Amino acid sequence: MSGPAAAMVLAAGLGTRMRPLTDRLPKPLIPVAGRPLIDRALDHVAAAGVPRAVVNLHYLAPMLRAHLAGRVAPQVAFSDETARLLDTGGGVRQALPMLGPVFFVLNSDAIWTGANPLATLAAAWAPGRMDALLLLVGRDRARTYTRAGDFHLGADGLPVRRGAAPTAAYVYTGAAIMTAAAFAHMPEGPFSLNLPWDRLLATGRLAAVVHPGVWVDVGTPDGIAAAETALAS
Amino acid sequence: MTDGARVFAVPPGVAYAPAFVAGWQARFGALDPLDRARSLILVNSRRSQAALEAALAAAGLGLLPRLVPIDAGLEDQDLAPAIDPLRRQLWLTRLVGAYLSRTDTAAPPAAAADLAEALARLLDQVQEEGVGLARLSTLAPDSLAGHWQRTVAFLDILREAWPAILAGEGALDPAARAHAAVAARVATWAADPPRHPVVVAGSTGSRPGTARLIAAAARLPQGAVVLPGFDPDLPAEIWDSVGPDHPMHPFKRLLTALDMVPRDVALWHGAASSPARARLWAEALRPAPVTDAWIAAADGLGAAAPEATAGISLIEATSPRHEAAAIALAMRQGLEVPGQRVALVTPDATLARRVTVELARFGIVPDDSLGRPLLQSPAGVFWHLVAEAAEPDADAVKLAALFAHPLACPGTTRAEHLRHARAYERAVLRRGPTRGLAPWPPDTAERVTPPEAVAWRAAVATALAGLTAAQGSGLSARLAAHLAAAEAMSTPPGEAPQVWAGADGTALAQALARVIQAAPALGDAPVADYPGLMRACLADQTLRPEPGRAHPRVAIRGPREGRIEGADLVILGGLNEGTWPAAPGTDPWLSRPMRRSLGLEAPEALIGLSAHDFLLGAMTPAVILTRSLRAEGTPQIAARWWVRLVTLLQGVAPDALAAMRARGQGFHDLVARLHLPQASVPRAPRPAPCPPVAARPRQLSVTEVERLIRDAYDIYAKRVLRLRPLDPLGRAPEARDRGQVIHAILHRFVTVTTPDWPDDATARTLLLDITDQVLAETVAWPDLRRLWRGRVRRFAAFLIEGERQRRAEGRPAALETAGAIILDAPAGPFTLTARADRIDDLGGGTAAIFDYKSAAPPSAKQIGLFAQQLHLQGVILDRGGFAEIPGLRAHSGAYIGLSGVGSSTTVADLGPEVALAAERLARLIADFDDPQTPYLAWGRAEKVGDVGDYDHLSRRAEWQGDAE
């Protein structure tokens, strides 16, 4: 199995939803139950046995850089977006020279409990069937999540966009495996990860697996309290 | 014209994109803007789409119509996806491999990949024609030769197995999918014809599926087809006899389906560019038989030739390098015209790369759509070297190549890595043949391997171990191990693996992601030739130059891209048979009659497409045709179109032909001027260093004295500069080793027979037994043991005959014995040393000195001049320098040559000559004790062919030929 040897941790967001907490602190450094979000994300990476991580930087970049300076497991490299925010897809594309052919993509603003999200992904990764594998969670297990959901799961296990439906049963948790090939022929500059996913959806090469634990979107100050509760239980 | 099918043409020589836009504007410009935006233009490729979009936007038409590549235009159909071509290739490789291993065929297992590629092409063709593999069973096997029967049997298996595999994949063959999509689209159009304009642009309709779609589009209420490079004025008699290799053949299928002839096709916009040029090419490329038609047309053609050929130049270069240089000069000159765009059109990627290099002379980076092969980029080369170095029997060259690659740094800094790699190369890789990553040699008193170096080798071993261990695994596991090895071999401390850094690394990662995806299709069986398979998987990946660096008016394009993207000056390069047109590939799966009975096109149809590409370029008002007379030392045959043009013009307008050649020759002559040096560079002088006497050696061996006479520079480099030549990587056994082995055999043989010389037969048996013993002890290579044993057998009779005489005259007294004497010299005592092969006691205080040669012995003429070994050993002997045998004097001697059947040169009067040699030696030493005496390089070279270890250091090639 050609499992990923590197992880892309998305940490460049402005954190506007988290104001005022993020006025002086980049969102990934906000502590939840005493441990900063970015460290929690990197802990998952290390626990899954992935040796390398790439963290992209934009907002308050020097603080993040200094915070991660001493980290050895995983080994951390930085992808600098201080000149220009590249959005999720553009951020990954810029970091491709550090990632290799197959890699994890992980948001730094979510809390997963239960099984290691990366281990769940790695176990379900089947080269030949997919160019991206998304970790989803049932809406009922997504804490502080109030939006409509992102995907249905078809009978064949393949994800389908919510589309015009009022709600969808599954939410993207911010963890995925992707291949470098998924980023061929992408536009210059910023673009969302939704762009490569939509292309893969059209050819049946986007797959999904469901996270068996609980997931908390720490996008807002309320989310932190919910996350701390989830971690305590 | 039937059922109102609307077929238009942009004739050859008219730039397609602007003409298309002008015609579009004339016909649909008056439409309501929203209707205009609703209309659909289907184009032949993504590149054409971009070119037409740019042209439409430049025309300022406001809302643009939808431009969609034909393939993508069918994507909205509800069909299963097409299988990834690489994945299909691996599936087929697996099936063919299984077939080859089960049947008794001539093809080796490694041929599976190539056969699978041909099979994939066959599947495409069969499905494009809509034939289906089922028709194969209609081939009557009995009428076929045995090997064709076997392939039909295999294709039968494929017919049953392949659909099941595709069903498991949930995918369709690309051609079958396209076929189905076209059928569905045609049906939709028939049921509910779109009201908005539908125009097909840039496609010739040469492929069956496309032809069906185009034919349907041409009959839509607002449908139209705009053929690229089609000439409606083509005479009917030519059209009727157009064969598969004619430039208009690609249109034949479409027009026949529409029941049309050329004159039914209307011009889309404006007029043809040059009727005279069009007429010339139509005649030149007329289908055979041609000559009678040429004779009939001669007068008209001759009169029009100056006009028709005015813009054409012919360059016939002496070599591909010259061709590239001439092209680059023509491109550079073309840029002098303000705003003029120049393009090289060629299918030859090597020529394109050469021209790119030549253009660098002018600081021009062309927009090269052919690109550079990924496998030749640094990351691609590194990837391949890692695979080769991890093979269990990797030789020294492969390891050294990996270590020297700029990306290599296995967990250390690059500088550290290079330091250890160079030490390892000297200590291990240049010490003898190695297999795999041999350990450092054991520590000795003089040489201790530092712990960092040991750790470095361990890091390399760890990096490669996984891949080496994966030898017996399937492709997926092997790839995973290969990725890990490449990353570990290229990771400096605390950084990301360098193999993915850079544009080539990213492209490699993307290509490998595809291979990883496709790999499971090959199954878990061990891969026979993993590096070869890897190369095949990545072979068609190319790297485009970085956007923004390319010159906006200089392009290099493949022939097909020239169809839509024109230029003001077009250069058609590489016009030799085999290059352009490419040789039609043979189909290993079906014979020509079998193909015909399945309704498949002849392989020459590809030549027709090439001819069409060529014609489009050749009709450009300003065009240069180039070819090279030779390539890699082999004479080349000009492209058939070139031959036709030249033959025709030779007959009807030799002056026009001469003018075309003269225009091209101008560029070719300039090439020589490019390489003229601006100032004459003086020859390097023959080195004659004069080091101070204190730095000169105070001891030389007898062989070194000989060397000093011939090539003093050798002694200077070795004894003053103290430089030693490096052994080659993975040193193979050579003459020096053979000499040592033969000396060892002789030593043992003479030792054993000294007390008692046996009869000849016993001596011979003894000699051969000893030979076997020595070879077994000292030579590791079985093939060499047999070879060298054969050599000993050849000279055995000669040796034994001579030995019998020598024993009659004397008795071996000392073998391989060391001697030394100290001589008085102007700069102080000087030591002469020697190791004598053998000295025999002749009785009466006299001795004979023998020297064994594993090559031919020196001739009588050479002895005393160049060959002084025996004489100098005699000097040492006479002065009691051989401690083992004091008190003997030199009497005679011989060089015993042990090559071929054997021969020897005797020096009967060695005794008296020794005194002379001693005088000469004293003079030589005195000379070199003078600081004015230079160590001249090859001062007394005996033959021009003599080579020395330090010739490169003395820059011999630069001064040789100097007057003595």
Side-chain angles (χ1 to χ4, degrees):
Chain A
M1 183 72 57
S2 306
M8 176 79 201
V9 180
L10 298 170
L14 293 171
T16 37
R17 282 194 297 152
M18 288 286 257
R19 280 195 180 140
L21 288 180
T22 50
D23 285 347
R24 302 244 171 80
L25 200 61
K27 186 161 79 168
L29 289 188
I30 292 175
V32 170
R35 190 144 176 84
L37 283 165
I38 185 82
D39 285 313
R40 290 183 173 277
L42 291 170
D43 290 347
H44 285 310
V45 174
V50 178
R52 293 183 284 118
V54 179
V55 176
N56 63 349
L57 302 171
H58 174 75
Y59 181 61
L60 299 176
M63 287 181 75
L64 257 176
R65 215 183 258 276
H67 178 81
L68 295 176
R71 184 114 199 179
V72 288
Q75 200 187 90
V76 176
F78 296 99
S79 175
D80 199 322
E81 296 175 27
T82 42
R84 180 192 190 192
L85 256 183
L86 291 170
D87 201 350
T88 48
V92 175
R93 208 248 320 265
Q94 173 173 294
L96 283 183
M98 293 182 271
L99 290 170
V102 185
F103 45 84
F104 291 105
V105 179
L106 197 63
N107 287 357
S108 63
D109 60 355
I111 296 288
W112 295 263
T113 68
N116 183 326
L118 304 192
T120 307
L121 282 166
W125 175 247
R129 306 258 167 218
M130 45 189 81
D131 269 308
L133 174 68
L134 311 187
L135 187 68
L136 305 182
V137 67
R139 265 185 88 212
D140 53 336
R141 288 174 163 268
R143 300 291 144 79
T144 73
Y145 183 85
T146 51
R147 279 164 289 150
D150 304 314
F151 291 97
H152 307 286
L153 279 182
D156 50 4
L158 291 181
V160 182
R161 286 263 185 211
R162 171 165 50 87
T167 59
Y170 293 96
V171 182
Y172 173 57
T173 64
I177 295 180
M178 293 190 73
T179 71
F183 291 86
H185 312 297
M186 287 289 144
E188 294 294 311
F191 61 90
S192 159
L193 277 173
N194 283 314
L195 181 60
W197 291 347
D198 284 340
R199 289 215 187 148
L200 296 173
L201 267 173
T203 51
R205 299 190 63 79
L206 183 78
V209 60
V210 175
H211 176 55
V214 161
W215 175 75
V216 188
D217 173 22
V218 198
T220 62
D222 285 350
I224 296 181
E228 287 173 343
T229 314
L231 287 168
S233 61
Chain B
M1 177 124 65
T2 54
D3 354 338
R6 275 186 300 277
V7 180
F8 301 91
V10 173
V14 174
Y16 189 89
F20 179 85
V21 171
W24 170 269
Q25 205 161 5
R27 283 179 177 73
F28 302 110
L31 278 183
D32 174 82
L34 286 178
D35 279 344
R36 216 162 54 206
R38 211 169 283 133
S39 48
L40 179 67
I41 301 178
L42 293 170
V43 294
N44 64 320
S45 71
R46 279 188 196 282
R47 283 188 66 96
S48 305
Q49 177 191 2
L52 287 182
E53 259 166 9
L56 282 164
L61 289 178
L63 287 178
L64 293 182
R66 281 181 298 146
L67 276 147
V68 184
I70 291 183
D71 301 343
L74 302 167
E75 279 304 327
D76 51 346
Q77 312 280 339
D78 191 16
L79 288 169
I83 187 171
D84 173 54
L86 185 61
R87 194 173 172 86
R88 177 171 71 155
Q89 162 82 15
L90 291 178
W91 261 119
L92 293 174
T93 305
R94 184 172 167 185
L95 292 176
V96 174
Y99 166 68
L100 291 182
S101 66
R102 258 190 282 110
T103 23
D104 162 37
T105 56
D114 288 340
L115 286 171
E117 208 183 322
L119 187 57
R121 271 201 307 273
L122 175 65
L123 279 177
D124 284 345
Q125 288 169 352
V126 167
Q127 290 161 353
E128 268 179 6
E129 297 285 351
V131 178
L133 284 173
R135 275 272 284 281
L136 277 174
S137 54
T138 61
L139 295 172
D142 303 343
S143 61
L144 302 172
H147 61 287
W148 290 121
Q149 289 184 22
R150 280 200 294 275
T151 61
V152 170
F154 171 72
L155 291 173
D156 254 356
I157 299 170
L158 182 75
R159 195 159 54 85
E160 309 216 327
W162 186 237
I165 291 170
L166 279 181
E169 293 275 322
L172 298 173
D173 273 321
R177 185 179 190 279
H179 189 264
V182 165
R185 171 60 61 95
V186 170
T188 319
W189 278 349
D192 180 19
R195 300 281 120 205
H196 56 74
V198 175
V199 182
V200 183
S203 177
T204 58
S206 69
R207 291 167 64 184
T210 326
R212 273 193 300 280
L213 186 74
I214 294 178
R219 292 192 175 110
L220 289 175
Q222 294 228 55
V225 176
V226 187
L227 300 176
F230 181 77
D231 178 10
D233 292 333
L234 193 73
E237 27 119 17
I238 293 187
W239 175 253
D240 289 340
S241 55
V242 156
D245 60 349
H246 191 273
M248 290 299 132
H249 179 259
F251 301 102
K252 219 161 181 187
R253 182 194 292 268
L254 177 65
L255 293 195
T256 310
L258 290 169
D259 197 16
M260 293 170 90
V261 292
R263 63 171 183 282
D264 297 333
V265 176
L267 286 185
W268 176 248
H269 175 75
S273 62
S274 163
R277 179 87 67 87
R279 172 103 200 283
L280 175 68
W281 280 117
E283 282 301 334
L285 303 180
R286 169 187 276 278
V290 291
T291 20
D292 50 341
W294 282 2
I295 291 166
D299 288 346
L301 281 174
E307 187 202 335
T309 61
I312 308 179
S313 310
L314 297 182
I315 298 178
E316 268 181 301
T318 45
S319 71
R321 201 167 54 84
H322 273 77
E323 185 184 5
I327 291 172
L329 282 165
M331 292 178 101
R332 177 66 189 86
Q333 198 197 52
L335 287 181
E336 289 293 302
V337 180
Q340 175 165 273
R341 293 166 307 133
V342 297
L344 166 65
V345 178
T346 180
D348 183 350
T350 312
L351 177 66
R353 271 201 298 287
R354 282 197 160 113
V355 172
T356 305
V357 171
E358 292 287 344
L359 283 172
R361 182 193 306 280
F362 309 118
I364 295 171
V365 179
D367 175 14
D368 180 2
S369 77
L370 295 169
R372 200 159 52 98
L374 176 61
L375 276 175
Q376 288 178 16
S377 71
V381 169
F382 182 72
W383 177 253
H384 186 65
L385 288 176
V386 168
E388 290 210 310
E391 297 273 306
D393 56 353
D395 62 22
V397 175
K398 287 179 177 148
L399 288 170
L402 175 62
F403 294 155
H405 193 283
L407 287 174
C409 44
T412 56
T413 63
R414 177 74 183 156
E416 281 283 288
H417 161 73
L418 283 178
R419 198 157 63 80
H420 298 316
R422 283 171 188 156
Y424 183 76
E425 201 177 302
R426 281 194 301 274
V428 180
L429 299 180
R430 289 183 188 273
R431 276 300 154 87
T434 51
R435 280 157 60 88
L437 194 70
W440 289 96
D443 289 345
T444 60
E446 300 92 59
R447 219 193 51 80
V448 176
T449 309
E452 321 74 272
V454 174
W456 168 84
R457 188 200 152 272
V460 174
T462 313
L464 298 179
L467 183 52
T468 311
Q471 289 293 312
S473 315
L475 182 57
S476 290
R478 205 115 173 225
L479 264 172
H482 195 169
L483 284 173
E487 292 197 349
M489 271 309 294
S490 69
T491 309
E495 285 183 53
Q498 297 302 295
V499 60
W500 316 125
D504 54 339
T506 303
L508 176 67
Q510 290 180 337
L512 290 176
R514 279 191 60 223
V515 182
I516 291 169
Q517 298 292 314
L522 199 63
D524 293 330
V527 186
D529 172 20
Y530 177 73
L533 181 72
M534 213 55 244
R535 255 198 308 267
C537 287
L538 299 175
D540 57 352
Q541 301 289 320
T542 53
L543 278 176
R544 297 288 308 278
E546 285 165 52
R549 289 188 59 219
H551 194 288
R553 294 196 278 135
V554 181
I556 299 182
R557 301 198 181 110
R560 205 55 38 89
E561 294 147 8
R563 196 189 276 177
I564 301 299
E565 301 161 71
D568 305 308
L569 170 64
V570 169
I571 300 163
L572 305 179
L575 283 169
N576 281 329
E577 285 288 315
T579 303
W580 195 7
T586 49
D587 182 344
W589 292 103
L590 294 179
S591 67
R592 275 171 183 267
M594 288 156 83
R595 288 180 65 89
R596 223 176 11 247
S597 68
L598 285 181
L600 297 181
E601 288 220 290
E604 283 77 24
L606 285 178
I607 294 188
L609 269 176
S610 283
H612 182 248
D613 296 332
F614 167 79
L615 181 64
L616 290 200
M619 283 296 298
T620 312
V623 62
I624 302 173
L625 313 182
T626 78
R627 63 178 289 253
S628 170
L629 292 170
R630 302 177 77 85
E632 286 164 15
T634 322
Q636 300 292 304
I637 300 167
R640 53 194 74 193
W641 317 304
W642 179 298
V643 173
R644 287 288 195 89
L645 178 71
V646 167
T647 315
L648 175 62
L649 286 178
Q650 249 158 12
V652 301
D655 293 347
L657 179 62
M660 285 159 73
R661 286 200 156 127
R663 284 191 290 274
Q665 190 62 34
F667 293 113
H668 199 242
D669 292 345
L670 274 179
V671 174
R673 297 271 300 276
L674 267 183
H675 295 286
L676 271 186
Q678 304 199 317
S680 72
V681 180
R683 274 176 189 280
R686 176 192 297 244
C690 293
V693 172
R696 300 186 175 203
R698 302 310 303 161
Q699 173 271 323
L700 290 175
S701 72
V702 163
T703 29
E704 283 169 333
V705 170
E706 273 191 0
R707 195 82 204 166
L708 185 67
I709 296 167
R710 286 175 193 230
D711 179 12
Y713 188 83
D714 184 289
I715 299 300
Y716 168 75
K718 187 172 155 196
R719 300 294 302 273
V720 179
L721 300 181
R722 301 209 174 90
L723 298 172
R724 289 274 191 286
L726 278 178
D727 281 328
L729 279 170
R731 190 169 75 84
E734 50 178 338
R736 200 171 49 181
D737 305 80
R738 196 178 77 224
Q740 280 171 7
V741 167
I742 288 177
H743 275 76
I745 293 169
L746 267 283
H747 186 125
R748 204 174 291 182
F749 175 67
V750 174
T751 311
V752 170
T753 56
T754 293
D756 222 354
W757 178 248
D759 63 82
D760 284 6
T762 316
R764 184 184 164 83
T765 317
L766 199 58
L767 175 67
L768 293 180
D769 284 351
I770 288 172
T771 301
D772 286 343
Q773 283 169 23
V774 172
L775 287 173
E777 286 160 19
T778 55
V779 180
W781 305 276
D783 49 340
L784 275 185
R785 281 206 288 264
R786 303 206 54 166
L787 209 65
W788 290 354
R789 184 172 195 277
R791 283 174 176 270
V792 174
R793 289 174 73 97
R794 284 191 74 197
F795 64 68
F798 161 81
L799 179 73
I800 288 162
E801 167 72 26
E803 203 57 35
R804 185 155 24 79
Q805 279 180 26
R806 287 189 280 276
R807 296 308 168 84
E809 290 163 12
R811 190 187 55 82
L815 301 177
E816 299 271 334
T817 186
I821 50 170
I822 296 172
L823 302 164
D824 282 332
F830 184 93
T831 310
L832 177 71
T833 58
R835 174 165 286 273
D837 283 345
R838 168 174 170 187
I839 299 173
D840 280 14
D841 187 345
L842 302 179
T846 62
I849 307 175
F850 298 108
D851 192 63
Y852 303 135
K853 295 276 178 210
S854 54
S859 66
K861 246 163 102 184
Q862 289 169 310
I863 290 171
L865 283 171
F866 292 109
Q868 299 223 7
Q869 246 173 305
L870 292 187
H871 292 78
L872 292 174
Q873 287 178 11
V875 173
I876 297 175
L877 181 68
D878 284 4
R879 301 191 187 184
F882 288 105
E884 207 180 325
I885 39 168
L888 288 179
R889 289 188 66 82
H891 173 266
S892 59
Y895 292 96
I896 303 172
L898 299 174
S899 65
V901 295
S903 64
S904 60
T905 313
T906 308
V907 186
D909 297 329
L910 189 60
E913 287 173 19
V914 160
L916 191 63
E919 271 172 43
R920 277 197 195 149
L921 175 68
R923 270 208 304 279
L924 185 74
I925 296 170
D927 278 352
F928 278 93
D929 275 354
D930 177 355
Q932 306 294 317
T933 307
Y935 285 87
L936 188 64
W938 285 107
R940 290 177 68 185
E942 193 186 344
K943 297 189 292 276
V944 181
D946 283 350
V947 289
D949 287 338
Y950 302 95
D951 288 352
H952 198 105
L953 186 69
S954 75
R955 300 168 69 178
R956 185 178 179 189
E958 292 180 52
W959 50 258
Q960 192 156 48
D962 246 352
E964 289 285 321

